[in-house]
Amino acid sequence: MVIPNLVGAGLIVIGGGIGLGQIGGKAMESIARQPEAAGKIQTAMIIIGALLEGLAFGALILGA
Amino acid sequence: MNIAQKTTKFLTIAVIALFTTVNFALNSNENNQGKEDGGQVNTKTEISAYIKHHLADSHDFSLFSYTSSEGERKHFGFPLPVIVWTSKGLVTFMSSAFHHNDDGHVIVEKGGLKFAKIHSKIYELDGNATNVAFDETHHATNAHKVLDFSITKSVVGILFAGLLIFLGFSKLARQYKARSIPKGLGRLLEPLVIYVRDEIARPNIGEKKYKKFMSFLLTVFFFIWILNLLGLTPLGFNVTGQIAVTACLAIITMVIYITNGSKDFWAHTLWMPGVPVILRPILAVIELVGFIVIKPFSLLVRLFANITAGHFVVMSLIALMVTMKEAFGPVASTGMSLVLSLFISVIEILVAFLQAFIFTMLSSLFIGMAVEEHEHH
Amino acid sequence: METLLNDFSPGLFFMQLIILVILIVLLGKFAWKPILASLEERETGIEDALKSAENARKEMQNLTADNERLAKEARAEREAMMKEAREIRDNMIAEAKEDAKEVTANLIEKAQASIAQEKQAALAEIKKNVADLSIGIAESVIKKELSNKKDQLDLVEGILKDVTLN
């Protein structure tokens, strides 16, 4: 039985979505806790989000 | 009063836009000819083919096209030179020789060789073949790709963006000779330069070494940003959505951080201290693959995929007014497509900046990793 | 992945490589280097200006402190001088008073002495006068032959009436 590519793509997007949600949620929490560090937290959040995005896109493209 | 006037103005513009596009959507039913040379686009398969065509590079700069009352397809735009390296050396001709054909049915003879253009790629026909023969998966069987150094639409976009950046910033540089605070456009550009230096380069590379990489980082940042924004204009550039372009950017980044790697960096990569000796070669392989393949690959794929996805979504939403016409009627589908594509376009403007920022940020992060000198314990 | 590799155009890669490298070099030479240099120059200029302003402020503070110190010293000096002057004045007054007292005392003494002398002289004269008078009276009494006591007394009285004791 062959699993179609689209199912894999869906799984990747689910995983990426969970990851991005975690990053975003935690970043929001930490900004709420320490509003004066908002800039640093945002930058770190964007970087980690970008790394995750790269992973997800890589998987999508390798699979497609 | 003022706000009311503005609102009415805005509403008028919106209504006019809606009516024109509705009109267009209605008309598109009537003529259905000229499919073969990229004519009107009505069905879902045509739309997806059209979007694919847009996402690929193209050999001519077409602004728009329409079908005249005689049923003839008219194209507006200008041809670009084709420069290919063939089995008989360099061959050049203008792309207008293909007559906007993109599926290999128009054969151009030049320098004793025959060329066909299939899905924005130039093919050289083998031997004495006069037509391109396709197999069942639509691959040409009697033609092969040639090295294509043409001034394609993307190259035009690159040159245009380069020119814009060069003119803008050399003007800013000249302004400093006369005054210490720039005026006009320089006032907009200067904070961006300071932003790249203070928010991207300095914290990631380190105070001592960042200066050496500033020209690369600044150039790449503005290059990607301007090209991303150009991609959102109706000129239809899709430069940063070309995998060759992003691959080039990523490979240059890789070359820079590999050639500037400090002794500590190589020591840590190839013979990780503080780890059992048996594990060290394995770790070295993982680290090397990470630095040479995975990091550049993630850089190139991220930019490429983000921009391609953005273009895809915007174009699909615009195409909504054609595909949803059956289900919702012309007015509702057009309104829906207008609102949604406007919304996505605004997000894409943000993404255009964000991707330039992330590319530069990660580049400087990797460079920072490579040039860092650890304190020996 | 296959479509991705199929989309990859080596020619475009090559063009992009050349253009980007040229762009980096050109921009580095004509834009980034002068821009960053003048930005840095401006920043160091601002820093220097701030530093020198700070220095000037400190110097100003020092100067005012100096001024205050000087003024305080001057005030103290003036005070001291005034005090001295007052003392001198007081001394002078006291001395003068003393002198005056001495002088008056002398004068008084002298006066008293002369008064006493005068008095002595006057008393001596009176004594002499009284003696003379008594002698005169006695002479007259003796000269007159005095028969009775009554006559004698009348005589004494008459003489005494003539004599005015001064």
Side-chain angles (χ1 to χ4, degrees):
Chain A
M1 190 183 129
V2 181
I3 299 169
N5 272 352
L6 279 176
V7 175
L11 286 175
I12 293 163
V13 172
I14 288 172
I18 291 171
L20 276 177
Q22 289 268 343
I23 295 166
K26 296 285 177 195
M28 289 300 129
E29 268 175 28
S30 28
I31 288 174
R33 196 172 297 163
Q34 277 177 303
E36 67 277 359
K40 276 183 185 173
I41 294 169
Q42 251 166 13
T43 316
M45 178 185 84
I46 288 174
I47 289 175
I48 297 172
L51 289 171
L52 177 83
E53 199 185 46
L55 197 75
F57 275 134
L60 272 181
I61 279 171
L62 284 174
Chain B
M1 188 64 199
N2 210 356
I3 293 170
Q5 264 179 359
K6 270 183 188 164
T7 320
T8 27
K9 237 183 216 173
F10 174 73
L11 282 179
T12 329
I13 290 169
V15 166
I16 289 170
L18 193 65
F19 271 111
T20 7
T21 38
V22 167
N23 227 10
F24 164 73
L26 281 173
N27 279 341
S28 65
N29 245 357
E30 292 164 9
N31 299 310
N32 209 7
Q33 57 269 77
K35 255 191 231 168
E36 296 198 341
D37 53 352
Q40 278 179 350
V41 178
N42 287 321
T43 63
K44 271 184 187 168
T45 45
E46 277 168 1
I47 285 168
S48 94
Y50 182 81
I51 293 175
K52 262 185 194 152
H53 176 77
H54 162 80
L55 290 177
D57 206 356
S58 102
H59 282 84
D60 39 25
F61 201 118
S62 54
L63 294 169
F64 62 93
S65 59
Y66 68 98
T67 309
S68 68
S69 47
E70 288 94 48
E72 193 188 351
R73 197 71 196 160
K74 298 262 190 194
H75 291 269
F76 269 83
F78 42 90
L80 297 165
V82 175
I83 305 162
V84 284
W85 182 261
T86 64
S87 51
K88 285 186 183 172
L90 217 57
V91 177
T92 60
F93 53 93
M94 292 305 278
S95 70
S96 50
F98 286 116
H99 299 292
H100 302 285
N101 177 281
D102 202 33
D103 52 9
H105 285 100
V106 175
I107 308 292
V108 175
E109 282 198 48
K110 192 85 187 175
L113 291 168
K114 297 191 188 70
F115 299 99
K117 187 155 70 93
I118 308 163
H119 294 310
S120 305
K121 301 264 177 218
I122 309 264
Y123 284 76
E124 180 192 336
L125 271 66
D126 300 324
N128 298 322
T130 49
N131 272 1
V132 185
F134 294 102
D135 60 10
E136 61 272 16
T137 53
H138 206 74
H139 283 113
T141 50
N142 59 349
H144 61 272
K145 274 189 212 165
V146 285
L147 261 181
D148 186 357
F149 300 116
S150 310
I151 309 297
T152 56
K153 199 173 181 179
S154 294
V155 178
V156 171
I158 293 167
L159 288 170
F160 183 55
L163 198 70
L164 273 184
I165 299 170
F166 186 76
L167 286 180
F169 285 99
S170 59
K171 195 179 167 217
L172 175 64
R174 264 180 281 121
Q175 274 189 1
Y176 281 116
K177 280 179 190 159
R179 46 171 63 233
S180 59
I181 293 168
K183 58 170 185 175
L185 187 67
R187 223 168 255 183
L188 176 76
L189 298 177
E190 193 199 82
L192 291 168
V193 175
I194 295 178
Y195 179 77
V196 173
R197 188 192 63 178
D198 288 353
E199 302 295 319
I200 297 178
R202 263 189 183 159
N204 289 317
I205 302 180
E207 198 64 42
K208 281 182 221 156
K209 294 183 171 167
Y210 79 96
K211 275 181 190 155
K212 197 172 158 191
F213 306 103
M214 278 312 284
S215 23
F216 167 71
L217 291 174
L218 282 165
T219 311
V220 164
F221 177 81
F222 288 106
F223 185 80
I224 295 174
W225 191 29
I226 298 284
L227 280 173
N228 283 350
L229 287 178
L230 273 181
L232 295 175
T233 60
L235 293 173
F237 286 117
N238 181 28
V239 183
T240 37
Q242 297 300 326
I243 195 121
V245 173
T246 58
C248 179
L249 289 166
I251 286 172
I252 290 181
T253 306
M254 184 199 63
V255 167
I256 283 179
Y257 68 67
I258 290 289
T259 52
N260 284 292
S262 64
K263 215 188 273 173
D264 284 337
F265 165 70
W266 288 115
H268 275 250
T269 311
L270 299 176
W271 207 242
M272 181 75 85
V275 173
V277 178
I278 317 156
L279 284 177
R280 287 184 186 188
I282 305 168
L283 270 178
V285 169
I286 292 173
E287 289 271 306
L288 268 185
V289 169
F291 269 101
I292 293 174
V293 181
I294 295 175
K295 285 188 166 92
F297 185 74
S298 80
L299 270 182
L300 81 91
V301 161
R302 180 177 308 109
L303 183 57
F304 161 77
N306 265 296
I307 301 305
T308 307
H311 280 240
F312 199 95
V313 171
V314 170
M315 291 189 78
S316 307
L317 287 176
I318 291 172
L320 215 61
M321 68 178 148
V322 179
T323 49
M324 290 284 125
K325 195 165 63 180
E326 302 276 294
F328 296 109
V331 179
S333 67
T334 312
M336 207 159 72
S337 123
L338 259 181
V339 170
L340 287 176
S341 54
L342 181 68
F343 173 69
I344 287 293
S345 295
V346 172
I347 289 180
E348 282 304 307
I349 289 173
L350 179 72
V351 168
F353 178 79
L354 202 66
Q355 287 309 315
F357 169 74
I358 284 174
F359 194 98
T360 327
M361 190 80 181
L362 289 176
S363 294
S364 57
L365 201 70
F366 297 156
I367 292 173
M369 277 181 191
V371 299
E372 191 184 12
E373 270 160 16
H374 301 272
E375 283 171 24
H376 290 278
H377 339 274
Chain C
M1 195 65 198
E2 261 171 63
T3 47
L4 206 67
L5 285 177
N6 192 45
D7 280 345
F8 183 85
S9 152
L12 181 61
F13 178 83
F14 183 71
M15 296 298 280
Q16 154 78 356
L17 189 69
I18 290 176
I19 296 171
L20 191 67
V21 169
I22 291 174
L23 200 64
I24 290 174
V25 171
L26 272 184
L27 278 171
K29 193 159 188 298
F30 291 108
W32 307 133
K33 209 176 259 177
I35 288 175
L36 290 172
S38 28
L39 278 178
E40 203 150 302
E41 199 179 299
R42 200 172 70 192
E43 270 154 24
T44 47
I46 289 172
E47 218 159 276
D48 284 354
L50 281 176
K51 220 176 262 175
S52 61
E54 177 76 3
N55 281 348
R57 202 173 59 85
K58 263 185 196 160
E59 221 156 90
M60 199 66 198
Q61 252 174 0
N62 283 350
L63 266 180
T64 47
D66 265 15
N67 276 351
E68 239 159 65
R69 196 170 50 79
L70 276 178
K72 212 183 248 175
E73 272 174 21
R75 214 175 302 139
E77 212 167 309
R78 196 191 63 185
E79 213 110 290
M81 275 165 81
M82 279 179 74
K83 204 174 169 189
E84 212 172 316
R86 215 177 298 143
E87 261 165 30
I88 289 172
R89 189 194 64 187
D90 285 356
N91 278 352
M92 273 168 82
I93 289 172
E95 257 167 50
K97 267 185 187 165
E98 206 97 320
D99 278 3
K101 220 182 263 175
E102 225 164 84
V103 168
T104 41
N106 275 350
L107 277 175
I108 289 167
E109 216 166 277
K110 264 182 205 165
Q112 272 171 346
S114 67
I115 286 169
Q117 226 170 351
E118 293 289 310
K119 204 176 161 184
Q120 218 78 34
L123 280 177
E125 217 174 275
I126 289 171
K127 270 179 192 164
K128 204 180 134 206
N129 282 352
V130 169
D132 285 349
L133 202 55
S134 333
I135 291 167
I137 293 169
E139 239 175 29
S140 335
V141 171
I142 296 165
K143 270 175 195 171
K144 233 180 185 181
E145 286 168 5
L146 295 169
S147 48
N148 64 0
K149 213 178 175 181
K150 202 197 166 232
D151 286 341
Q152 282 174 7
L153 280 174
D154 282 345
L155 184 70
V156 171
E157 252 169 54
I159 292 165
L160 276 176
K161 257 180 197 168
D162 291 346
V163 177
T164 47
L165 272 175
N166 55 323

